[in-house]
Amino acid sequence: MRVILAAGTTETALIDGISAAGAAPELMAQTPSADVEILEYGRPTVSPVTPVSPTGCPTPAAVTRAVRDVVDFDLTIVDAGLARPTGSPTVDLEVPAGTDVREPTAVADAAAIFERAREFGASLPDEALLLGETVPGGTTTALGVLTALGEPAGVSSSLPDNPLERKERVVETALEASNLEPGACGAEPLAAIRAVGDPVQPTIAGIAAGALESGTDVTLGGGTQMVAIAAVLRHAGVDEPLSLATTSFVADDPSADLEAACDRLDCELTVTDPGFDGREHVSMQRYCAGEAKEGVGMGGVLSLVPDGEMSAVRDRFEAVCARLGID
Ligand code: AAM
């Protein structure tokens, strides 16, 4: 199994109060670069900070790294629009950082990115791929794309209280700035991303399309951002089987309504509970309170943990948090 993590940024994350994927708005652009270092090395290397939410909840990269210490999988990191340097080795598909969706164009070369990613996905020798993301503001851009496609699906949030109305206002402004009505891009999913999406979306959708074409199994590892990718693929006419693997934290979020979305998009859903409620550990309790919930492939890699090994993952998560200096 190869895990591919697409890491990128969108200026949309700077909008006040829409994301907790960084301690402060000016740190959001740093989060994906640091996330991929945590996956690779177990802690940030050239990145100056460990990504935490404003309340101190550690990035889901810490959970994914903990799983990596227990389950063997290959890992490839794709630069899907990083805005800061990273010390991790990355595949370069020439993906620039994304613009604020409230500008007329959010991802200028969405179609070209999709094509390059598709070639990359088709070239891989693996039998199965698990695709993950890190892009602060990603649930807002997911809502943008779902709305432009005319899909009724809701989105989750890295915040315990989903600022859904704020996101809806952003998406409304974004569609107006692009001269689009909701549902206008139903037949043109890459136009939806170009107008109101983020650069991670055409990267993951392209890799998935290329891999599926060449007979590789694809699982989307994530929550409602991956629902948006599944919608892009279905609207692009991709009809191969698709799976989505996420955490119980997203599955339990009523604003996500994940099961209905997966049903509609003909996507097999796997939900994994890491059992964090059984431990007196501050960070695990934060996850149980609905902070962070998912990201950096967390739900996907949790689905790879064999029966009986989840307590080892929790032990490793405690060790990763201790190394990062987080409770
Ligand atoms: C990624 N890195 C993170 C993080 N994510 N570091 C700390 N907390 C997170 N939740 P939103 O739309 O609310 O910003 O949520 C999406 C982001 O949260 C994504 O980057 C996802 O990978 C996760």
Side-chain angles (χ1 to χ4, degrees), residues 18-22 31 35 51 59-60 133-140 157-158 225 292 294-296:
I18 59 161
S19 176
T31 291
D35 277 345
T59 170
E133 55 68 37
T134 165
V135 52
T139 60
T140 301
S157 174
S158 57
Q225 292 165 255
E294 167 64 287
V296 203

Side-chain angles (χ1 to χ4, degrees), residues 107 109-111 113-114 117 190 193 198-207 229:
V107 186
D109 37 7
I113 295 168
F114 180 88
L190 293 172
I193 295 174
D198 69 57
V200 168
Q201 293 164 341
T203 307
I204 296 180
I207 295 171
I229 305 285

Side-chain angles (χ1 to χ4, degrees), residues 10 12 98-101 106-107 141-142 144-145 191-202:
T10 163
T12 311
T99 310
D100 187 326
V101 288
V107 186
T141 47
V145 165
I193 295 174
R194 182 174 200 277
V196 293
D198 69 57
V200 168
Q201 293 164 341

Side-chain angles (χ1 to χ4, degrees), residues 180-277:
L180 291 173
E181 296 288 328
C185 299
E188 272 182 298
L190 293 172
I193 295 174
R194 182 174 200 277
V196 293
D198 69 57
V200 168
Q201 293 164 341
T203 307
I204 296 180
I207 295 171
L212 288 167
E213 260 167 37
S214 66
T216 303
D217 285 347
V218 172
T219 301
L220 303 170
T224 49
Q225 292 165 255
M226 289 302 178
V227 168
I229 305 285
V232 164
L233 290 167
R234 293 304 186 217
H235 281 256
V238 172
D239 57 7
E240 283 96 344
L242 262 182
S243 307
L244 189 148
T246 194
T247 62
S248 48
F249 308 116
V250 175
D252 291 346
D253 176 357
S255 58
D257 202 5
L258 203 63
E259 215 165 312
C262 285
D263 266 358
R264 205 173 36 255
L265 296 166
D266 193 15
C267 207
E268 191 185 308
L269 174 63
T270 303
V271 175
T272 309
D273 181 348
F276 284 179
D277 52 349

Side-chain angles (χ1 to χ4, degrees), residues 119-144:
E119 275 179 36
F120 170 67
S123 74
L124 294 169
D126 309 279
E127 278 176 19
L129 295 181
L130 177 62
L131 306 180
E133 55 68 37
T134 165
V135 52
T139 60
T140 301
T141 47
L143 182 64

